[in-house]
Amino acid sequence: MSGPGVAVAVTMTARRRLKSEDRRRQILDAAVSAFARHGFAGTTTRELARASGVSQAMIFRFFPDKAGLYRAIIDRYIARAADPFPAASTRGGDDRRILERAAADMIGNVEEDPTFLRLLLFSALEGHELSRLFLEARVLAVTRALARYLGGRMRRGALRSVPPIVAARAFIGMAGNYALMNVLYGPAMPGRLPRRRVARLFTSLFLNGITAAEAAAPRVRRPAIGAPGLDRRMASP
Amino acid sequence: MSGPGVAVAVTMTARRRLKSEDRRRQILDAAVSAFARHGFAGTTTRELARASGVSQAMIFRFFPDKAGLYRAIIDRYIARAADPFPAASTRGGDDRRILERAAADMIGNVEEDPTFLRLLLFSALEGHELSRLFLEARVLAVTRALARYLGGRMRRGALRSVPPIVAARAFIGMAGNYALMNVLYGPAMPGRLPRRRVARLFTSLFLNGITAAEAAAPRVRRPAIGAPGLDRRMASP
DNA sequence: TTCAATAAACTGAGCGCTCACTTATGAGCG
DNA sequence: CGCTCATAAGTGAGCGCTCAGTTTATTGAA
C-alpha cells in the first residue's frame, strides 16, 4: 500500500504532508465511499480518518462536524450536476435512439459506480436535510427533461397524449428500478442482460406503448371485483 | 411522561404486566416502525424501549441482541409472505385487468404503509445478512410470478416474445419506482395522480408495448455518434 | 548555502456522553 | 408461597469532538 517501505522505516516514514486543499479533497473522497457504503449513521469519524490515512482530528480541522462533512459531499454532487438533457430537439424525432441512449446511460452509470445511487438512497431514507436538493438537482432534472421532450413529441402528434411527467416516470422507472435492483442484489437478481440489450428492450416496450396509433387495445372496463391477480401482499405485513 | 405521578407515587404505578408473548409482540411492533424510519444503525435500543413503554432490559430478555431483534422482524415479514400471484390462469387473458390490479396494489400498499418498503431498502443498503431472504420472499416472488404469467401469455401468442423476467422487471419497475419516489420524496415528487389512474396508464403503456402485433415501429438503427440526448450525467460525479 | 524563525499540517491523549448490553432486586399474579 | 415480569442502576466500549503539543515545509537574513 505504502510503496517499497521495508526494514529501515526511520527516515523513510513516507508520511506525506499534503496541502490543505489536497488533504481536504482526500478526506472528502474517502467519505463519499464510506457514506455510500454504510450511510451517515453507520459511518464513524474514526473510520473516515483511517480511510483517509490521517488522524481523527484532521476531519474536524476541515469540516465543522460529521454532518458538515456529509453536507460538503452532497454539495459537491449537486455542483457537478448539469443539464442532463440539453434541449434534444423535439422535432428530429429519433425517439428510439434518444431513449435507448438514455436508458443505457442510466443503467451503465449506476453499474460502473453505484456510489451516487447509494448516497441518494441513504440520504433520502435517513432523512437528511439536503436530500431534497440532491433529488432536485439530479433525479428531477432528468425526469423533467424527459417529460419536456416527451411532451414536445406529444404536441407534434408523434406520441399518444398522456401526462408527460408520468410517462417520464414510467420510462425512468423501468431503467432506474432495473439498475437499482442490480445494485442492491447484484448477481442474485434474475433477468440481467447486457445493458444495451435491456435498454433496447425497455425502449421498445415504452415506445410501442406510447407511440400514437389506433392500435390501442380494446378498453375492457369491467368493475374487476374479486379478480385473482397479484394480490395486495406486496407491501403490507 | 408517567401519568399524574406526584408525591405519593407508590401504589398507583399503573404498570401493566403483560404476558411474555404479548410484550414480545409489542416490542416487535415498535421496532418495526423504528427500524423502518431510521434503519438499523440509526436506531438505539433506548429508543426502542421508550417506544415500547418498557425498560431497555426487556429488549434483551426477549431478544438475544439488537441484531436478533432485527432478524426477528425480517423473519416475521418473510413468514407472512404468500404466493402473491396464485396461478392467475394464463388462458383467460384479461391481461389489462390483472396488470392494472397488480400495479394499483403495489402503489396502494406502499402508499398506505411505507414501512415494508423502507425496511427492505434499509436492509439492502446496510447489507444485512437477511436482506437476500427478504428479497427472495417478497420482491422476487412477485417478479417471478409476473414473469411466469407473462411467459405463459407469450407462449400463447398473446404477447410479443421477450425475456419474461426482464419484461416483468420493466412493469414492476414502473409501478415500483413510482411508489418508491413518492415514499422518499412525498409531495415534492411531481406527477402524482390517483393510484388507479396511474395503474391504468402504466398498464396501458406496458400492454400496448408488449402486445403481439405487427405495429412495431420501424427499427431505426443508425450508429448514433455524438447524438444529443439524456447524457451520462445520471450517476457519475 | 546554511539555518534559525515562522507558519502550516498533523497527532495522541482524552473529554463528556451514549452505545449495546448486564446484574441485582424487587413487584404482582397464579 | 413460587415464578414470571419488570426495572433501576449499572458496565466497558466506542462515539463525536477538542486541544496541547509535535513535526514538517517554507521563508529569508546571513
Side-chain angles (χ1 to χ4, degrees):
Chain A
M1 258 298 186
S2 57
V6 206
V8 190
V10 177
T11 52
M12 296 288 285
T13 41
R15 190 173 290 134
R16 295 178 307 151
R17 284 168 99 88
L18 298 187
K19 301 217 155 163
S20 146
E21 194 187 331
D22 293 334
R23 186 62 85 192
R24 188 188 138 97
R25 193 155 35 79
Q26 192 188 52
I27 292 174
L28 219 44
D29 288 342
V32 163
S33 148
F35 282 133
R37 263 187 310 214
H38 310 120
F40 182 78
T43 302
T44 71
T45 55
R46 280 175 167 79
E47 178 189 338
L48 290 175
R50 197 165 29 75
S52 321
V54 293
S55 74
Q56 231 182 330
M58 290 307 293
I59 307 259
F60 298 98
R61 221 177 102 80
F62 292 108
F63 305 96
D65 50 24
K66 188 182 162 189
L69 173 53
Y70 196 72
R71 214 174 302 125
I73 288 175
I74 296 187
D75 282 347
R76 182 208 256 187
Y77 268 93
I78 291 174
R80 295 200 186 174
D83 181 6
F85 200 14
S89 66
T90 68
R91 78 183 66 177
D94 191 352
D95 300 325
R96 186 170 300 269
R97 206 194 47 195
I98 288 176
L99 291 181
E100 262 180 31
R101 181 167 173 129
D105 279 353
M106 281 176 58
I107 296 171
N109 287 330
V110 171
E111 235 161 46
E112 282 162 25
D113 176 24
T115 304
F116 169 72
L117 182 57
R118 292 185 60 97
L119 274 174
L120 185 70
L121 280 172
F122 261 126
S123 83
L125 282 174
E126 292 185 315
H128 199 278
E129 43 172 347
L130 271 77
S131 158
R132 181 135 317 167
L133 284 180
F134 216 177
L135 165 86
E136 279 286 339
R138 303 301 227 91
V139 182
L140 286 194
V142 173
T143 307
R144 291 215 184 88
L146 179 56
R148 214 178 309 122
Y149 176 80
L150 294 176
R153 301 289 295 146
M154 289 173 197
R155 253 174 275 115
R156 289 176 175 273
L159 301 180
R160 273 168 64 201
S161 210
V162 299
I165 285 269
V166 185
R169 286 182 66 177
F171 184 73
I172 289 174
M174 286 197 266
N177 206 256
Y178 178 85
L180 172 65
M181 289 294 147
N182 288 351
V183 163
L184 293 185
Y185 300 109
M189 202 64 205
R192 299 187 69 163
L193 297 176
R195 96 176 69 130
R196 308 280 309 191
R197 180 138 176 249
V198 173
R200 228 180 293 130
L201 177 52
F202 286 171
T203 301
S204 159
L205 282 177
F206 183 75
L207 272 186
N208 262 14
I210 204 176
T211 296
E214 58 296 330
R219 255 315 193 79
V220 183
R221 273 284 253 145
R222 248 171 295 159
I225 296 174
L230 293 170
D231 76 4
R232 60 182 50 257
R233 226 167 284 275
M234 187 62 191
S236 63
Chain B
M1 247 331 186
S2 58
V6 205
V8 188
V10 178
T11 52
M12 293 294 283
T13 40
R15 192 172 289 139
R16 295 179 307 150
R17 285 168 84 86
L18 297 187
K19 298 216 159 162
S20 165
E21 194 187 330
D22 293 334
R23 187 62 85 192
R24 190 189 137 95
R25 194 155 34 80
Q26 191 187 51
I27 292 173
L28 219 45
D29 289 341
V32 164
S33 146
F35 282 132
R37 265 186 310 214
H38 310 120
F40 182 77
T43 301
T44 70
T45 54
R46 275 174 166 76
E47 180 188 338
L48 290 175
R50 198 165 28 76
S52 326
V54 294
S55 72
Q56 235 183 324
M58 291 307 292
I59 308 261
F60 298 96
R61 222 178 102 81
F62 292 107
F63 305 94
D65 50 24
K66 189 182 162 190
L69 172 53
Y70 195 71
R71 213 174 302 128
I73 289 175
I74 296 187
D75 282 347
R76 182 208 256 185
Y77 268 93
I78 291 173
R80 294 199 186 176
D83 180 6
F85 200 14
S89 65
T90 67
R91 78 182 69 176
D94 192 351
D95 300 325
R96 185 169 300 271
R97 206 193 48 196
I98 288 176
L99 290 182
E100 263 179 31
R101 182 163 173 133
D105 278 353
M106 281 176 57
I107 296 171
N109 287 330
V110 171
E111 235 160 45
E112 283 162 24
D113 176 24
T115 304
F116 169 73
L117 182 56
R118 294 185 58 99
L119 274 174
L120 186 69
L121 279 172
F122 261 127
S123 81
L125 282 174
E126 293 186 313
H128 198 278
E129 42 172 349
L130 270 79
S131 159
R132 180 136 317 167
L133 284 180
F134 215 177
L135 165 86
E136 277 288 338
R138 303 303 227 91
V139 181
L140 286 194
V142 173
T143 306
R144 291 215 183 87
L146 180 55
R148 214 178 309 123
Y149 176 80
L150 294 176
R153 301 289 295 145
M154 288 173 198
R155 252 173 277 115
R156 288 176 175 273
L159 300 180
R160 272 168 64 199
S161 211
V162 297
I165 285 269
V166 185
R169 286 182 66 177
F171 185 73
I172 289 174
M174 287 197 265
N177 207 257
Y178 178 85
L180 172 65
M181 289 295 148
N182 288 351
V183 163
L184 292 185
Y185 300 108
M189 202 63 205
R192 300 188 67 163
L193 297 176
R195 95 176 70 129
R196 307 281 307 193
R197 183 140 175 246
V198 173
R200 227 180 293 129
L201 177 52
F202 285 170
T203 301
S204 160
L205 281 178
F206 182 76
L207 272 185
N208 262 15
I210 203 175
T211 295
E214 58 295 332
R219 250 323 190 74
V220 183
R221 272 285 251 144
R222 247 170 297 161
I225 296 174
L230 291 171
D231 76 3
R232 58 182 52 257
R233 226 167 284 277
M234 188 62 190
S236 64

